[in-house]
Amino acid sequence: MLDKLTQKFSETFRFIAGKSVITEKNIDDAVEAIKMALLEADVNLRVVRRFVNATIEEAKGERVLRSVDPGQQFIKLVHDKLVSLLGGDGEGLKLKGPDTLSTILMLGLQGSGKTTSSAKLALRLKKEGRKPLLAACDLVRPAAVEQLSVLGAQIDVPVYREDGAKDPVAVYKGALALAKKNLYDTLIIDTTGRLQIDEPMMEELQRLKDAAKPDELLLVADSMTGQAAADIAKTFNEKIGLTGVVLTKFDSDTRGGAALSLKTVTGRALKFVGTGEKPEDFEPFHPDRIAGRILGMGDVVSLVEKAQEVIDQKEALELQKKMEKENFTLEDWLNQLRSVKKMGSLQKMLDMIPGMAGQISEDDINKEDFKHQEAILSSMTRKERANHLIIGPARRSRIAKGSGTSAAEIGRLIKKFEKMRTMMKKMAKMGKNSAGMQQMMGQMGGGLGF
Ligand SMILES: Nc1nc2c(ncn2[C@@H]2O[C@H](COP(=O)(O)OP(=O)(O)OP(=O)(O)O)[C@@H](O)[C@H]2O)c(=O)[nH]1
Ligand SMILES: [Mg+2]
């Protein structure tokens, strides 16, 4: 699914995620690569332009370029833009409560997957505890009624059919009467598809719509037709009015143009995707999950999550103020140690310090020291960490016991902390005009002890 797009995005991101400092040029290049990938995926040109412009503008803003982790912030930005392109929070069906009958009208071009999707939807609703009835209102294609009956039997959902009927509205009325009599709560109407949008088709759909006043009008479109699917949806929406779209054959869609263009082109939500030929192969559409898939799941998505966890700018600024005033406490130090641990690669952060890149390597820092410090700090009480001056001999030996170290070590750590604080004050002042420096100080200054 969406393989090509995923591959292209991953390539771009691998490049940019590995950079500790990114320039406007890097962003231009990355966005250009994304633009090409989207166009190759057959995404509507207008949609691509809008996406690209919005991304570039924000990516060049403070939040990305000046952040501690510009690569990750950039990826997160693209991820968020992609989610909103795909429809934001996602939208489910809007049906009435179980005591009132809800009606769903399925429409679309020939072969798009209406009949299959009607059955899939019925199965899904049945599993959710509803009582669906299928109505065979495709009276044009020979064997259409039979096809629906076979599917209905397979999923154990009844199908209303009138053999020899000519008027789909009459069949709908028959289905409605049966639904009321037998207390079905959801009526799903399968309709005729044609090779292209034509007047007789629209007329028939309009008549069905007027009669049934459906709660949901779902356009079924074949995702493999790329942005044409979005154009078709647009036309149907203008002529009949839709409440949502079902994209079928998502399992074979290696490009993604339909899914990505749909919301912007039609203004209608993509509600479900068909992911195979079996009745179970049907999923609600979750923009965030699909964005994750497009961005290459595993590595990239975890990067995005990391970026979300990392200290934000405001926090970093607060820390800087603390450092300037020598208000930096052992508690802050512990937090720093922990957030360094969370970030994972120390080297990457070291490389972010202006003038520091390549000067210190991860090997120069004793990782055992790191663990040691964390153990000691964790054994202190909050009060002690807030004010290290209260840590006298009795407290020292208690902390030593708790952390498996010695009282002398506690003494050394506190000395080191005091020295560090003085250093930090100087550096914080020095680095005041360097945004990168400011944040690095906030992010990690404490942990490294310089
Ligand atoms: N792989 C895959 N095949 C699908 C999916 N949905 C439908 N199909 C297949 O697409 C073909 C057409 O599906 P139908 O449900 O008959 O399409 P239709 O819109 O009802 O077609 P007409 O009634 O002729 O207009 C069938 O062979 C389905 O098995 C899907 O999500 N994935
Ligand atoms: Mg059909």
Side-chain angles (χ1 to χ4, degrees), residues 47-324:
V47 176
V48 174
R49 281 213 189 107
R50 201 189 283 190
F51 181 82
V52 160
N53 291 342
T55 307
I56 279 211
E57 194 174 314
E58 248 181 77
K60 288 187 175 171
E62 292 281 308
R63 252 196 39 205
V64 173
L65 274 185
R66 305 262 166 272
S67 72
V68 237
D69 47 4
Q72 289 181 22
Q73 293 298 344
F74 176 71
I75 295 169
K76 176 167 158 40
L77 173 69
V78 174
H79 173 267
D80 293 349
K81 291 269 176 257
L82 209 49
V83 172
S84 84
L85 190 69
L86 289 165
D89 289 338
E91 233 180 88
L93 292 179
K94 294 194 176 71
L95 300 179
K96 298 191 191 92
D99 298 334
T100 325
L101 180 72
S102 302
T103 309
I104 303 172
L105 188 63
M106 308 292 280
L107 45 142
L109 294 185
Q110 200 173 75
S112 59
K114 292 175 299 299
T115 306
T116 316
S117 300
S118 300
K120 287 173 171 180
L121 188 56
L123 176 63
R124 186 166 184 90
L125 293 174
K126 188 178 119 181
K127 282 185 181 160
E128 284 172 8
R130 297 187 77 101
K131 210 179 152 198
L133 173 67
L134 285 157
C137 291
D138 176 359
L139 307 178
V140 175
R141 188 165 65 81
V145 174
E146 197 50 40
Q147 184 194 359
L148 191 64
S149 299
V150 169
L151 285 168
Q154 215 177 318
I155 57 170
D156 198 20
V157 169
V159 174
Y160 180 83
R161 56 191 280 181
E162 280 181 22
D163 294 333
K166 292 266 172 340
D167 181 11
V169 174
V171 178
Y172 156 73
K173 285 182 178 156
L176 178 67
L178 180 71
K180 285 191 169 156
K181 185 167 149 251
N182 290 352
L183 300 178
Y184 290 104
D185 59 26
T186 318
L187 182 56
I188 301 171
I189 308 170
D190 182 28
T191 63
T192 309
R194 289 194 170 79
L195 274 174
Q196 65 208 30
I197 296 166
D198 58 24
E199 273 315 308
M201 178 194 205
M202 288 300 169
E203 235 166 69
E204 181 178 313
L205 287 172
Q206 191 62 49
R207 282 179 55 235
L208 267 170
K209 181 189 167 187
D210 292 344
K213 299 189 179 54
D215 301 271
E216 290 280 352
L217 282 108
L218 297 180
L219 177 84
V220 180
D222 179 344
S223 65
M224 287 170 74
T225 61
Q227 60 170 309
D231 294 336
I232 291 162
K234 183 168 184 258
T235 310
F236 272 97
N237 188 43
E238 284 162 4
K239 301 219 157 152
I240 307 282
L242 301 174
T243 59
V245 178
V246 176
L247 265 189
T248 60
K249 307 174 200 177
F250 209 55
D251 48 309
S252 329
D253 179 21
T254 54
R255 300 194 298 171
L260 285 153
S261 311
L262 231 148
K263 180 76 199 224
T264 311
V265 171
T266 66
R268 290 290 173 239
L270 177 49
K271 294 194 173 178
F272 294 95
V273 286
T275 55
E277 296 198 45
K278 293 195 299 296
E280 298 80 25
D281 300 332
F282 195 65
E283 295 171 15
F285 184 75
H286 295 295
D288 53 341
R289 286 187 212 162
I290 299 295
R293 264 188 229 173
I294 293 174
L295 298 192
M297 280 313 263
D299 48 348
V300 174
V301 171
S302 62
L303 271 179
V304 169
E305 278 162 7
K306 256 192 220 161
Q308 275 159 342
E309 281 171 13
V310 168
I311 270 192
D312 68 21
Q313 196 132 4
K314 221 172 97 201
E315 246 177 281
L317 270 173
E318 257 163 42
L319 258 167
Q320 199 217 348
K321 270 190 210 135
K322 275 187 177 175
M323 287 192 269
E324 263 180 58

